[in-house]
Amino acid sequence: ITERDWSSDVCSSDLMPSAARPRVPVVDADGITKVYAMGEIKVNALAGISLRIMPGEYATLMGASGSGKSTALSILGCLDRPTSGSYSLMGKPVEGMDDRELAGLRNKFLGFVFQTFNLLPRTSAVQNVELPLVYAGVKRADRREAAMAMLERVGLASRAFHRPNQLSGGERQRVAIARALVTDPALILADEPTGNLDSRTGQSILELFDELHDEGKTILMVTHDDGIARRGTRAIRISDGRIESDTSF
């Protein structure tokens, strides 16, 4: 997939006045199902999820353990494929893409923040942040500059050359957020980002997400906490693989 493939739609719309440009949904999922086969037993993890998220929304995905929220996040993050249904990310239909194309889609449009940080343990903070730019083929000097700017953004420039085991949990999560931001993604996907943090540190991470939303970032966060859900603009609750409620604030 070439850069021209990704930008052809954008280039034509850039010629239009901003007020006249169509607002393309960041996420557009219709009738998504996911069935896992466990021997002769079939488990319906998702039973027809339809969801649209527009640019600038801060949506939370809620549900009990086993409700399907993590499966939904994996599919919306192009880490897994649905059994049936259609899904477009930034107007790009996902079905039919091979693994290489999906990897390119993830790297261009998505930033991931996980509960367990998922940092490379033997590399420095700045090298962890650079990683998506390495995959994107960005030159070394340019990616170092971009990574340092993102660490500055999350308040960790002074810790850029520390390894993860030299950082606190909150600092490691800030490195993960900087890594998610470094490609300027269309969507930040966060899976229980405060789950491994104490309440005070977790609060500082949530405040950072609030700031990112205020800056216009689109966020989809998995959480089990009603208080966290109300920090966003929308709370989507999943039960037994179906959307039970979808509330805007």
Side-chain angles (χ1 to χ4, degrees):
I1 295 176
T2 66
E3 182 67 22
R4 180 175 295 177
D5 291 328
W6 294 125
S7 60
S8 59
D9 294 341
V10 177
C11 289
S12 61
S13 66
D14 284 346
L15 301 177
M16 301 169 60
S18 58
R21 294 175 194 165
R23 294 186 76 222
V24 176
V26 178
V27 164
D28 195 356
D30 184 25
I32 296 294
T33 71
K34 184 64 180 181
V35 180
Y36 293 103
M38 302 177 67
E40 296 182 356
I41 300 174
K42 292 185 177 181
V43 177
N44 295 299
L46 294 178
I49 296 289
S50 295
L51 179 63
R52 179 174 285 186
I53 296 175
M54 300 302 293
E57 285 197 271
Y58 182 172
T60 56
L61 200 57
M62 304 184 68
S65 178
S67 62
K69 62 183 186 298
S70 294
T71 300
L73 195 74
S74 292
I75 290 173
L76 298 180
C78 300
L79 296 169
D80 197 1
R81 299 174 185 269
T83 302
S84 64
S86 63
Y87 175 42
S88 293
L89 177 64
M90 290 299 293
K92 306 294 180 181
V94 170
E95 54 264 30
M97 288 188 178
D98 61 27
D99 291 343
R100 183 183 64 87
E101 291 171 320
L102 286 176
L105 194 72
R106 288 194 300 269
N107 203 55
K108 182 173 181 65
F109 290 129
L110 300 174
F112 294 90
V113 181
F114 300 98
Q115 180 176 345
T116 52
F117 318 131
N118 286 14
L119 301 179
L120 298 178
R122 297 184 180 181
T123 60
S124 66
V126 70
Q127 288 172 315
N128 269 281
V129 176
E130 287 178 329
L131 196 58
L133 300 178
V134 173
Y135 294 144
V138 176
K139 293 180 180 179
R140 180 178 298 179
D142 292 338
R143 67 181 186 243
R144 178 55 54 93
E145 181 180 359
M148 288 299 298
M150 284 301 103
L151 286 172
E152 178 73 33
R153 169 67 186 81
V154 300
L156 277 185
S158 65
R159 308 284 276 171
F161 298 98
H162 289 68
R163 293 184 179 183
N165 66 359
Q166 298 171 309
L167 302 173
S168 69
E171 288 172 334
R172 279 178 276 174
Q173 194 60 292
R174 285 177 181 270
V175 172
I177 293 171
R179 180 183 58 191
L181 293 173
V182 75
T183 57
D184 191 23
L187 175 65
I188 300 171
L189 293 165
D191 190 359
E192 298 275 8
T194 62
N196 281 347
L197 304 175
D198 61 72
S199 58
R200 181 176 179 180
T201 304
Q203 179 67 23
S204 71
I205 294 298
L206 291 173
E207 289 171 357
L208 178 54
F209 275 101
D210 292 343
E211 292 173 13
L212 293 172
H213 174 241
D214 289 342
E215 292 168 9
K217 291 295 183 184
T218 309
I219 300 168
L220 178 61
M221 180 186 294
V222 166
T223 182
H224 65 278
D225 189 314
D226 286 332
I228 293 176
R230 288 190 169 274
R231 300 180 78 104
T233 59
R234 181 178 173 193
I236 303 154
R237 189 177 295 275
I238 292 182
S239 178
D240 297 327
R242 294 179 172 85
I243 292 180
E244 183 180 73
S245 63
D246 188 344
T247 305
S248 297
F249 300 119

